[in-house]
Amino acid sequence: MELSRISSNPKIAVDAMGGDFAPTNEVIGAVQASNENPDIEVYLVGRREEIINVINQNKLKFDFNNIIHADEIISMGENPTTALRQKPNSSISIGTRLVKDNKADAFVSAGNTGAVVAAATLILGRLKNVERPTIGSYFPNSSGISTVFDVGAFVDSKPQHLLSYGILSNIFVKEIYGIERPTIGILSTGEEEEKGTKVTKEAFELFKKTNLNFIGNLEGKDILTGKANIVICDGFIGNVLLKFGESVPKLLKHMLTEYANKNLLNKIKIGLLKNSFKQAMTPLDPNLYGGVPLLGVNGNCIIGHGSSSALGIKNMIVRAKEMIEKNIVNKIEESLKEYSNIG
Amino acid sequence: MELSRISSNPKIAVDAMGGDFAPTNEVIGAVQASNENPDIEVYLVGRREEIINVINQNKLKFDFNNIIHADEIISMGENPTTALRQKPNSSISIGTRLVKDNKADAFVSAGNTGAVVAAATLILGRLKNVERPTIGSYFPNSSGISTVFDVGAFVDSKPQHLLSYGILSNIFVKEIYGIERPTIGILSTGEEEEKGTKVTKEAFELFKKTNLNFIGNLEGKDILTGKANIVICDGFIGNVLLKFGESVPKLLKHMLTEYANKNLLNKIKIGLLKNSFKQAMTPLDPNLYGGVPLLGVNGNCIIGHGSSSALGIKNMIVRAKEMIEKNIVNKIEESLKEYSNIG
């Protein structure tokens, strides 16, 4: 390992073995990030030989000293805790430990989400007053993007967990998007305070006691209109919504194809508009948003979609760089102190 | 009231005052349904003068004897139980009571959903072994439609409630769509049996004990691919998903407009493809699906979207006719006996 040298450049460890197209997309994306951001020190964590193969096959330039060998791979379907126990030398464990040991400033992975969350929680530890870390995600809206917390780190959240998702995400959105007081709403079945589940109604009371920019309940229709910068929900509903949302473009494509197959005129029309449609829908591509942050752990961690493209991986690294430079973890720690008496 | 005469034709009471565009869309849609289906006896329930005005203004033909006067209106935003108590002569109460008194075979309303559910539950009563009625909704998929139960009748469902949504919807989908053994899945965060909330995991165990065609857990992405005919979830998540799904076309429209506004060429392209796109997206129009059934109460009840068009109202009436003719309520009653020992 060549990591001990002192440098003020952000050092980012990338899981080369996570994701459906690993290590190809991971290596290509990481090298692109490194080339376009010479100030970032990128480390590829995974099977050395496989990583070198991708580098050579794609004629990429990458310092082999920055490959951190990790022999084991946690696959997408594995049970996170079992896998972490059985595979101490997985790219996820070793990558996370680099952050723990201050040899990297962030870990980036498009691998098994549960395993990344578990590794970060176990190895980096939770910040003081955080019972549950949270994963956020981005939903495009008519004026930019909304963020949704939690999208699946944990289910069966208690009211105080929902509050903590708000406290954590408030700092993230403030710092990353430069919004001084992000608007925060609780996802519910109606705007009225009395709408929702037992848990969301109690969370509503907790949020009211804070000085967060809490705007009350949101409905499902408010996410894509951007009614709030931050949408708070249990990880179960966030996970279902995220996966549902991601499946929409596929249905649209299917419907356009069905329409085209009705007759020749339709086929010609759809043929002509296909590219325009694709271009217009670009903002829906999750690869643009650079992965989702895991907040509440003692270190920077970015989680990517299993199907991340090389562009997606590159953007995850750029997002990690922002999180490092903006000192998100420390700012979250400060903010948590302020709210330690609520919930 | 002219309702006491004996007739074997399906008699359907329509809430003329429910919905965002009442009574116009309600009256026009009801008259259309009546004209196109001379075997249906349609009753318009609401303010007599206002109904007659719409009939006259639109030069419609409708037997004024089939107008059932109801003086009060429960508006969309009112608290359901308070409104029902304070307005015993609302169109919702009177319409539901027509079914209770066997003067109508079904009640159809695009009004305040909570009030319709509450009125049906209180006035018609729940079927034996049904603790909670359920509202279903339709989601288009690549091979037709999936149904989702519950979409908001109740939140904080217990495992046995989820099971009962499955038992109720199984009969509805079997009879209405002619699917002998509809596939049923529980909406969760992953396919594996151990994924999900405490409630969904317990419901999984209950479903396994039945002879329903239970295919296990579903993820958010499985709804629009039609992996199951019936998707089971708590009303909180169903409500959020439904409203989220309905907001998607608006975002798409916005994105196409943004793209068009970039330059003249784009504007021309989008101008040309607009109609094709609209036509291709037709299957997304909720007005095609004729409202959603409220199952588990002792009578036929169809609930429509507040923004229902006249076509939507017409299709709700046609759907109610099917429910009557296929004897859904009795068949559900029979089915419930079979499962009375589970849950």
Side-chain angles (χ1 to χ4, degrees):
Chain A
M1 285 205 204
E2 292 289 304
L3 292 172
S4 52
R5 68 183 176 277
I6 289 160
S7 142
S8 65
N9 289 347
K11 296 187 288 282
I12 299 172
V14 179
D15 179 2
M17 314 313 284
D20 305 331
F21 308 105
T24 309
N25 287 357
E26 278 59 25
V27 172
I28 296 174
V31 173
Q32 276 175 4
S34 168
N35 289 343
E36 292 174 19
N37 303 271
D39 59 321
I40 306 180
E41 193 96 50
V42 174
Y43 299 99
L44 281 165
V45 186
R47 291 191 178 149
R48 192 176 169 82
E49 290 310 309
E50 294 184 32
I51 294 169
I52 290 175
N53 274 347
V54 177
I55 293 171
N56 289 340
Q57 274 163 18
N58 294 279
K59 300 192 176 67
L60 305 171
K61 278 183 71 174
F62 191 78
D63 182 352
F64 287 179
N65 288 322
N66 281 7
I67 300 172
I68 315 293
H69 182 68
D71 211 45
E72 291 168 315
I73 298 173
I74 295 177
S75 65
M76 300 304 269
E78 278 186 86
N79 178 291
T81 32
T82 316
L84 279 178
R85 203 176 40 237
Q86 289 172 350
K87 296 178 176 172
N89 294 316
S90 69
S91 54
I92 290 175
S93 285
I94 291 184
T96 310
R97 238 177 283 138
L98 290 175
V99 178
K100 171 71 181 171
D101 298 342
N102 290 319
K103 288 174 177 165
D105 303 305
F107 178 56
V108 160
S109 174
N112 183 316
T113 300
V116 179
V117 173
T121 310
L122 292 169
I123 297 169
L124 303 177
R126 289 166 295 158
L127 293 172
K128 201 181 159 187
N129 293 326
V130 173
E131 208 174 303
R132 289 185 165 193
T134 178
I135 309 177
S137 189
Y138 313 102
F139 282 71
N141 66 45
S142 38
S143 52
I145 61 150
S146 299
T147 57
V148 177
F149 290 83
D150 181 70
V151 295
F154 292 97
V155 302
D156 287 327
S157 306
K158 292 183 183 142
Q160 54 271 37
H161 297 140
L162 296 185
L163 174 64
S164 83
Y165 305 158
I167 296 167
L168 298 169
S169 57
N170 179 57
I171 299 298
F172 178 81
V173 171
K174 179 182 166 184
E175 296 295 330
I176 297 289
Y177 295 101
I179 300 166
E180 188 48 36
R181 282 175 53 69
T183 48
I184 302 180
I186 298 174
L187 195 54
S188 186
T189 52
E191 280 182 12
E192 305 85 350
E193 191 168 337
E194 70 273 14
K195 286 281 176 81
T197 62
K198 213 169 155 292
V199 168
T200 66
K201 285 187 263 189
E202 281 180 45
F204 194 107
E205 292 306 313
L206 294 178
F207 271 98
K208 278 205 300 190
K209 289 184 202 162
T210 68
N211 63 359
L212 293 165
N213 193 0
F214 178 58
I215 61 165
N217 280 339
L218 303 169
E219 297 183 65
K221 67 181 158 93
D222 298 327
I223 300 172
L224 299 181
T225 58
K227 197 170 172 188
N229 301 125
I230 298 169
V231 179
I232 297 294
C233 61
D234 176 48
F236 183 85
I237 188 151
N239 178 285
V240 168
L241 264 179
L242 181 61
K243 291 176 180 167
F244 179 81
E246 285 173 354
S247 75
V248 169
K250 210 180 275 179
L251 178 70
L252 297 178
K253 205 178 149 193
H254 169 83
M255 286 164 69
L256 289 173
T257 309
E258 287 279 289
Y259 176 78
N261 289 341
K262 271 187 187 155
N263 58 54
L264 187 63
L265 184 61
N266 283 7
K267 198 167 224 114
I268 294 167
K269 283 197 269 181
I270 295 295
L272 289 173
L273 69 80
K274 220 163 100 180
N275 275 333
S276 308
F277 184 70
K278 234 184 213 167
Q279 281 170 35
M281 295 300 132
T282 307
L284 294 181
D285 180 5
N287 286 303
L288 293 177
Y289 301 108
V292 296
L294 173 67
L295 303 178
V297 292
N298 195 9
N300 293 303
C301 184
I302 292 275
I303 295 173
H305 203 286
S307 65
S308 292
S309 65
L311 172 70
I313 301 290
K314 186 189 83 175
N315 284 335
M316 283 166 72
I317 296 168
V318 174
R319 174 54 41 88
K321 179 192 169 198
E322 282 181 310
M323 286 184 70
I324 298 163
E325 289 176 345
K326 291 186 169 161
N327 214 350
I328 301 285
V329 175
N330 285 2
K331 282 175 184 154
I332 284 178
E333 247 181 330
E334 282 307 306
S335 176
L336 283 163
K337 284 181 198 160
E338 208 182 314
Y339 296 105
S340 57
N341 59 330
I342 301 169
Chain B
M1 285 205 203
E2 293 288 307
L3 290 174
S4 53
R5 68 179 176 278
I6 289 161
S7 143
S8 65
N9 289 347
K11 298 189 286 281
I12 299 171
V14 179
D15 179 4
M17 315 312 285
D20 304 332
F21 308 106
T24 308
N25 287 358
E26 278 60 24
V27 172
I28 296 175
V31 173
Q32 275 175 4
S34 169
N35 290 341
E36 292 174 19
N37 303 271
D39 59 321
I40 307 179
E41 193 95 50
V42 174
Y43 299 99
L44 281 165
V45 186
R47 290 190 178 149
R48 191 175 170 84
E49 290 309 307
E50 292 184 32
I51 293 170
I52 290 175
N53 275 346
V54 176
I55 292 171
N56 290 338
Q57 274 164 20
N58 293 279
K59 300 191 175 69
L60 304 173
K61 278 182 71 174
F62 190 78
D63 183 352
F64 287 180
N65 288 322
N66 282 7
I67 299 171
I68 314 292
H69 182 68
D71 211 44
E72 292 168 314
I73 297 173
I74 295 177
S75 65
M76 298 305 268
E78 279 185 85
N79 178 289
T81 31
T82 317
L84 279 179
R85 202 173 42 238
Q86 289 172 350
K87 296 177 176 173
N89 295 314
S90 70
S91 54
I92 290 175
S93 285
I94 289 183
T96 309
R97 238 178 282 138
L98 290 175
V99 178
K100 172 71 180 171
D101 299 342
N102 290 319
K103 287 173 176 164
D105 303 304
F107 178 56
V108 160
S109 174
N112 183 317
T113 300
V116 179
V117 173
T121 309
L122 292 170
I123 298 170
L124 303 177
R126 289 165 293 157
L127 294 173
K128 201 181 159 187
N129 294 325
V130 173
E131 208 174 302
R132 289 185 165 193
T134 177
I135 309 177
S137 188
Y138 312 101
F139 283 72
N141 66 44
S142 38
S143 52
I145 62 150
S146 300
T147 57
V148 177
F149 291 82
D150 180 71
V151 296
F154 292 98
V155 302
D156 287 326
S157 307
K158 292 181 185 146
Q160 55 271 37
H161 297 139
L162 296 186
L163 174 64
S164 83
Y165 305 159
I167 296 167
L168 298 169
S169 58
N170 179 56
I171 300 296
F172 177 81
V173 171
K174 179 181 166 184
E175 296 296 329
I176 296 290
Y177 295 101
I179 299 167
E180 189 48 37
R181 283 175 53 70
T183 47
I184 303 180
I186 298 174
L187 195 55
S188 187
T189 52
E191 281 182 11
E192 304 85 349
E193 191 168 337
E194 70 273 13
K195 287 282 176 80
T197 63
K198 214 169 154 293
V199 168
T200 66
K201 284 187 263 188
E202 280 179 45
F204 194 107
E205 292 306 313
L206 294 178
F207 271 98
K208 277 204 299 188
K209 289 185 203 162
T210 69
N211 63 359
L212 293 165
N213 193 0
F214 177 58
I215 60 165
N217 280 339
L218 302 170
E219 297 182 65
K221 67 180 159 95
D222 299 326
I223 300 173
L224 299 181
T225 58
K227 197 171 170 187
N229 300 125
I230 299 169
V231 179
I232 297 295
C233 61
D234 176 50
F236 183 84
I237 187 151
N239 178 285
V240 168
L241 264 179
L242 181 63
K243 290 176 180 167
F244 179 82
E246 285 174 355
S247 75
V248 169
K250 210 179 273 176
L251 179 70
L252 296 179
K253 205 177 151 192
H254 170 84
M255 286 165 67
L256 289 173
T257 310
E258 287 279 290
Y259 176 79
N261 289 341
K262 272 188 188 156
N263 57 54
L264 187 62
L265 183 62
N266 283 7
K267 199 168 224 114
I268 294 167
K269 283 197 269 181
I270 295 295
L272 289 173
L273 69 81
K274 220 164 99 179
N275 276 332
S276 308
F277 184 70
K278 235 186 211 164
Q279 282 170 34
M281 295 299 130
T282 307
L284 294 182
D285 180 4
N287 286 303
L288 294 178
Y289 301 107
V292 296
L294 174 66
L295 303 179
V297 292
N298 194 9
N300 292 303
C301 184
I302 292 276
I303 295 173
H305 203 286
S307 67
S308 291
S309 65
L311 172 70
I313 301 292
K314 187 189 82 174
N315 284 334
M316 283 166 72
I317 296 168
V318 174
R319 174 54 42 88
K321 179 193 169 197
E322 284 181 308
M323 287 184 71
I324 298 163
E325 289 176 344
K326 292 187 169 160
N327 215 349
I328 301 285
V329 175
N330 285 2
K331 282 176 185 153
I332 283 178
E333 250 181 329
E334 281 307 306
S335 176
L336 283 163
K337 284 182 197 161
E338 205 182 316
Y339 296 106
S340 59
N341 60 329
I342 303 170

